[in-house]
Amino acid sequence: QVLLVASGGGLVQAGGSLRLSCAVSGGTYSNYDMGWFRRAPGKEHEFVAAIRWSGVVTYGVDSVKGRFTISRDNAKNTVYLQMNSLKPEDTAVYFCAARIPNGRGSAYDYDYWGQGTQVTVSS
């Protein structure tokens, strides 16, 4: 089975940076589309960013554009989310996910999910 382990969350002051990592094992990582999602306190699950197997990147939350960058290192079976200029409203549990590309268009339709890592941004 495919296992995703997210890490890198923590406490940071507003304006600071964090880099989240998601290590993937048990599958053919380089063939997967990878995504980052988050759930803020009292709010619904939302799509943050994705990077396809081909390297094509999309961002789903307008507020993160220009501040967050998704990337992948296929040699390490790892996807990253670099988060800069963090704001208190970025506080959430961040989840990574993987899917086998099959032409699905939904940003939320993924096959495998990690456990999440907490990001807390203080003001």
Side-chain angles (χ1 to χ4, degrees):
Q1 64 177 3
V2 176
L3 177 66
L4 285 71
V5 179
S7 62
L11 293 168
V12 65
Q13 298 292 319
S17 298
L18 286 172
R19 188 179 73 165
L20 306 184
S21 299
C22 179
V24 182
S25 63
T28 308
Y29 165 84
S30 62
N31 291 345
Y32 296 153
D33 294 341
M34 299 295 301
W36 284 100
F37 301 80
R38 69 185 184 187
R39 186 184 294 274
K43 297 187 176 181
E44 65 183 9
H45 194 74
E46 63 182 356
F47 167 64
V48 176
I51 183 166
R52 299 177 187 175
W53 68 271
S54 62
V56 174
V57 170
T58 58
Y59 295 95
V61 180
D62 288 342
S63 64
V64 312
K65 294 177 181 177
R67 299 188 298 119
F68 290 12
T69 303
I70 188 171
S71 62
R72 64 192 299 162
D73 185 342
N74 290 348
K76 296 181 178 180
N77 287 4
T78 301
V79 63
Y80 303 97
L81 186 68
Q82 179 67 46
M83 305 184 294
N84 298 326
S85 301
L86 283 162
K87 304 174 181 179
E89 53 263 43
D90 295 318
T91 295
V93 178
Y94 284 72
F95 300 88
C96 63
R99 69 183 179 189
I100 300 170
N102 66 355
R104 289 173 286 183
S106 173
Y108 295 89
D109 189 3
Y110 278 72
D111 299 310
Y112 311 105
W113 292 84
Q115 85 288 357
T117 184
Q118 176 70 48
V119 172
T120 303
V121 184
S122 65
S123 59

